[in-house]
Amino acid sequence: MKKAKTSSGTAELVAKFAEGLPAELMPQIAWQDKLVLYLDRLAAYNRSFNLVGPENIADILASLVPDSFQLAAMLARLPLPENPLALDCGAGAGLPGIPLRMIWQPGKYTMIEQRRKRALFLENVLAELHLPGTGVFAGDAFKVAEPADLIISRAWMPVPKILDYCAARLADGGFAIIFARDAALPVHADFENFLEIEYSSPTGKRKIRAARRGRRI
C-alpha cells in the first residue's frame, strides 16, 4: 500500500470533532494526529477496498468514529484485568477498533477479519499507526482458540449467535461487547447484562451492551 501525506482538511475536521467531545469522553493521551492519518487512509482506499458506507471523511467522522469514544468510556467502567486480551470480531475497516486503540490501550487487542482486502488494509494502516498491543488475525474467528477477557462485535452476526461464540471463548467473568438496537439483550444462560449505555448519533439512538460471562441473567 502506497503511503500518502495526511490532509490539512482532515486535521481541521478532527480538531472540530475534538472540540465537540464531552469532557467525560475526552482522552488523556494524544490521539488527533493518528486519527487524521487513519481517516485519510480510510478515505483513500474506501472505494477500491469497499471498506465503509460513508464516502467522505466528514460523514465517517460524524457517523462512525464517535462509537469508539463511547466504547472507551464504557470499557473504563468494566472490571477487566490489568492487561486484558481483547478480540474484535468482524473488524472490517477498523471501526470501532482502530480509533478505540488510539485512546484505550491496555493489554492485547486482536482485530479479526476474514475478508482479504479489509485485512490487508488493517495490516497496512496499523503498520503506520504503531498502536500498542494491536494486531490483525486475517482469518476465521472460529479458529481463534485462546480464551479472551473481552470480545467486541459490531454487526458481525445475530446477537444470539454472538453470545454463543463468546460463551465458548471468554474467560470466566469476561465481557461480550455488543452494538445493537434491540430493546433488550436476548436471554442467554451464560451471560448477565452487566452494563448498557445509550447515546445519540446522526442516524438515531445507539446502544452498547456489556454482557458478563459466568452468571445467569
Side-chain angles (χ1 to χ4, degrees):
M1 186 179 296
K2 185 180 178 180
K3 287 190 176 182
K5 294 181 179 179
T6 56
S7 163
S8 60
T10 306
E12 292 173 3
L13 288 171
V14 169
K16 186 176 181 180
F17 171 81
E19 290 173 1
L21 280 176
E24 64 270 19
L25 298 183
M26 180 60 72
Q28 300 302 308
I29 59 177
W31 56 274
Q32 292 190 41
D33 289 347
K34 290 183 182 296
L35 185 57
V36 170
L37 188 153
Y38 170 64
L39 291 172
D40 277 344
R41 301 301 184 266
L42 186 57
Y45 292 93
N46 189 21
R47 183 167 296 180
S48 59
F49 280 31
N50 190 27
L51 297 171
V52 294
E55 294 187 356
N56 63 70
I57 290 174
D59 289 343
I60 295 170
L61 189 55
S63 63
L64 299 178
V65 173
D67 293 340
S68 303
F69 288 76
Q70 295 286 347
L71 179 55
M74 179 188 224
L75 295 180
R77 298 169 60 186
L78 299 183
L80 292 166
E82 183 176 354
N83 293 297
L85 171 60
L87 304 178
D88 183 341
C89 295
L95 290 158
I98 288 180
L100 172 66
R101 290 301 284 177
M102 296 176 190
I103 58 178
W104 182 84
Q105 298 180 339
K108 180 183 176 183
Y109 192 97
T110 300
M111 309 182 75
I112 304 172
E113 179 51 57
Q114 190 167 13
R115 290 163 290 189
R116 185 181 62 82
K117 283 188 175 182
R118 296 188 183 193
L120 177 63
F121 172 78
L122 292 174
E123 289 168 350
N124 281 277
V125 78
L126 285 176
E128 289 193 82
L129 289 170
H130 305 291
L131 299 177
T134 307
V136 178
F137 177 78
D140 186 352
F142 286 88
K143 294 182 179 179
V144 177
E146 186 177 3
D149 303 298
L150 183 68
I151 297 178
I152 296 169
S153 172
R154 177 177 177 172
W156 179 47
M157 293 192 299
V159 174
K161 291 185 177 181
I162 292 170
L163 291 176
D164 287 341
Y165 174 88
C166 293
R169 288 162 179 83
L170 279 172
D172 289 339
F175 289 92
I177 305 296
I178 298 169
F179 290 76
R181 301 186 186 208
D182 299 329
L185 191 74
V187 173
H188 194 289
D190 293 308
F191 289 93
E192 65 167 350
N193 194 8
F194 186 86
L195 181 63
E196 177 181 307
I197 63 171
E198 182 177 280
Y199 55 98
S200 297
S201 77
T203 58
K205 294 288 186 181
R206 292 182 182 175
K207 292 182 180 180
I208 308 176
R209 294 185 173 92
R212 192 174 196 181
R213 183 186 180 277
R215 301 181 187 184
R216 185 178 296 275
I217 295 176

